[in-house]
Amino acid sequence: MRLEPIPDPSLARKLLPPALAILGSFLVASLLALIAGGNPLAVFGAIVKGAVGSKFALLETLNRATPLIFTGLAVAVAFRAKLWNIGAEAQLYAGAVVTAVLGTGLLPWPPALLLPVLALVAMLAGALLLLGPALLKTRLGVDEVVTTLLLNYIFLLFVSYLLEGPLKDPMGMGWPKSARLLAEARLPRIVDGLRLHWGFALALISAVALWVINTRTTLGFEMRAVGQNAEAARFAGMPVTRIMLKTALLSGGLAALAGFSEVSGLKGSLTLDLSPGYGYTGIVVAMLALLHPLGVVAAALFVAAIFVGADAMSRALGVPSYIADIMLASALLMMVLAILLTKFRVVRD
């Protein structure tokens, strides 16, 4: 047996395998729920109720989806150009560190300019952090999967050092966290009394902007061309190295916005547990969305709903919430297979 490329896949061919991948992940979760002694229908019902069953639950799901949209977009734009950015977690923390440092009044910015400046500088920090691995890839051929993955651990250790040293809040009663941001450096809440903030709106704007870049600009065409065949793009006269570096800057900046939104909109200070793995989960989000920027929003909402709903389900039914992790892991594996089947057919010799 061999794989034969499909030159022009039909719409059904593009949509059916991903839909079956999602269905397969639900079947896996159903089996695990049965093993744990729960009723699959009751488990999924509790997940839905916990995710969207009330105003508080719905807004909490949107709040959880905000950093996932940013990291999903970061991964999607990089993977589209075959730049395998596994370091969105480090880039997220880079944006968070810059926000925590400058948002406490280090520089005397006018209040009206403070939030835009923080967002831009955070993007710059994340972009520069990914620029190093991109240069190593384009100049020396170093595998960016290794460099970006290792940067996650290196940068987390650096953040730990900062929180135990230079950035430690002297009024924090010994807890490793930074000082609180100024009121002018905080993203306002969309709904008073609840945690959803305007970072969610910024994430939606970023998704639309990236879609426009991908479909309506020369850079978007160049990124797609390089991703499909870098040698052909180079033969056609495209500056492949420059395009890869632009892609890295865009991807790192988007991931850093997740750190900015979490510190400025949600936490108000930098802590080591700021992200429970949003950078890694962004890979799942991007793959579920088939690397489409608008699809990233839907995939992030789906993943956030699973996580938020699973927590509520576990409290209500006593079924472990780890079902959500296994469900998303199986969805990722099945989606990779689904992407393969949308582009190739199995042929018997």
Side-chain angles (χ1 to χ4, degrees):
M1 297 194 334
R2 60 186 174 84
L3 294 176
E4 180 181 87
I6 302 174
D8 188 19
S10 64
L11 181 62
R13 187 83 187 191
K14 292 179 181 178
L15 297 180
L16 186 58
L20 291 176
I22 299 295
L23 178 61
S25 67
F26 276 99
L27 292 176
V28 171
S30 299
L31 178 61
L32 292 174
L34 286 172
I35 294 174
N39 183 331
L41 293 179
V43 167
F44 291 135
I47 289 176
V48 172
K49 182 178 179 181
V52 297
S54 66
K55 179 181 178 181
F56 174 82
L58 176 60
L59 294 182
E60 192 62 26
T61 298
L62 298 180
N63 193 56
R64 184 76 68 91
T66 299
L68 295 178
I69 294 174
F70 285 123
T71 56
L73 291 173
V75 172
V77 69
F79 280 20
R80 178 72 69 183
K82 294 293 191 297
L83 176 65
W84 308 114
N85 177 19
I86 314 297
E89 189 80 358
Q91 295 139 31
L92 179 154
Y93 273 100
V97 167
V98 169
T99 303
V101 171
L102 299 182
T104 53
L106 180 65
L107 298 177
W109 291 100
L113 295 178
L114 187 54
L115 274 174
V117 168
L118 287 178
L120 291 174
V121 178
M123 290 185 69
L124 179 62
L128 293 177
L129 193 62
L130 184 55
L131 183 62
L135 285 171
L136 290 174
K137 172 188 173 70
T138 55
R139 301 295 184 185
L140 302 176
V142 178
D143 189 348
E144 73 275 20
V145 172
V146 176
T147 52
T148 54
L149 179 61
L150 292 180
L151 266 178
N152 288 333
Y153 299 99
I154 293 171
F155 205 84
L156 275 175
L157 290 172
F158 177 63
V159 172
S160 179
Y161 158 74
L162 291 177
L163 294 178
E164 293 287 356
L167 294 186
K168 188 171 185 178
D169 184 7
M171 305 299 292
M173 301 180 66
W175 292 101
K177 65 174 186 176
S178 70
R180 302 286 296 178
L181 267 63
L182 298 175
E184 302 82 37
R186 299 294 306 273
L187 285 167
R189 302 295 170 94
I190 295 178
V191 179
D192 291 337
L194 295 174
R195 303 203 306 164
L196 184 64
H197 52 83
W198 282 98
F200 179 70
L202 179 61
L204 296 180
I205 293 171
S206 299
V208 174
L210 184 58
W211 174 75
V212 171
I213 291 173
N214 280 348
T215 59
R216 298 290 189 270
T217 68
T218 302
L219 176 60
F221 173 77
E222 290 174 338
M223 289 190 296
R224 294 197 308 274
V226 170
Q228 291 177 4
N229 193 322
E231 291 304 318
R234 185 177 284 108
F235 183 79
M238 293 185 183
V240 174
T241 297
R242 188 184 307 168
I243 294 167
M244 292 294 286
L245 296 181
K246 289 180 180 179
T247 303
L249 293 174
L250 181 57
S251 176
L254 286 168
L257 280 178
F260 160 75
S261 70
E262 287 297 284
V263 172
S264 180
L266 187 62
K267 302 288 187 179
S269 61
L270 175 63
T271 58
L272 195 59
D273 61 350
L274 179 74
S275 167
Y278 291 137
Y280 299 109
T281 310
I283 299 174
V284 180
V285 170
M287 297 303 292
L288 290 178
L290 301 179
L291 307 183
H292 193 289
L294 301 183
V296 164
V297 176
L301 291 172
F302 169 73
V303 171
I306 293 296
F307 279 134
V308 174
D311 290 338
M313 176 274 300
S314 181
R315 293 191 298 269
L317 302 180
V319 176
S321 61
Y322 293 114
I323 285 180
D325 298 309
I326 299 175
M327 184 177 175
L328 292 177
S330 61
L332 174 61
L333 295 175
M334 294 179 186
M335 187 60 70
V336 171
L337 178 61
I339 293 173
L340 181 68
L341 293 177
T342 60
K343 298 179 180 179
F344 298 89
R345 63 167 63 94
V346 179
V347 178
R348 289 187 177 184
D349 292 325

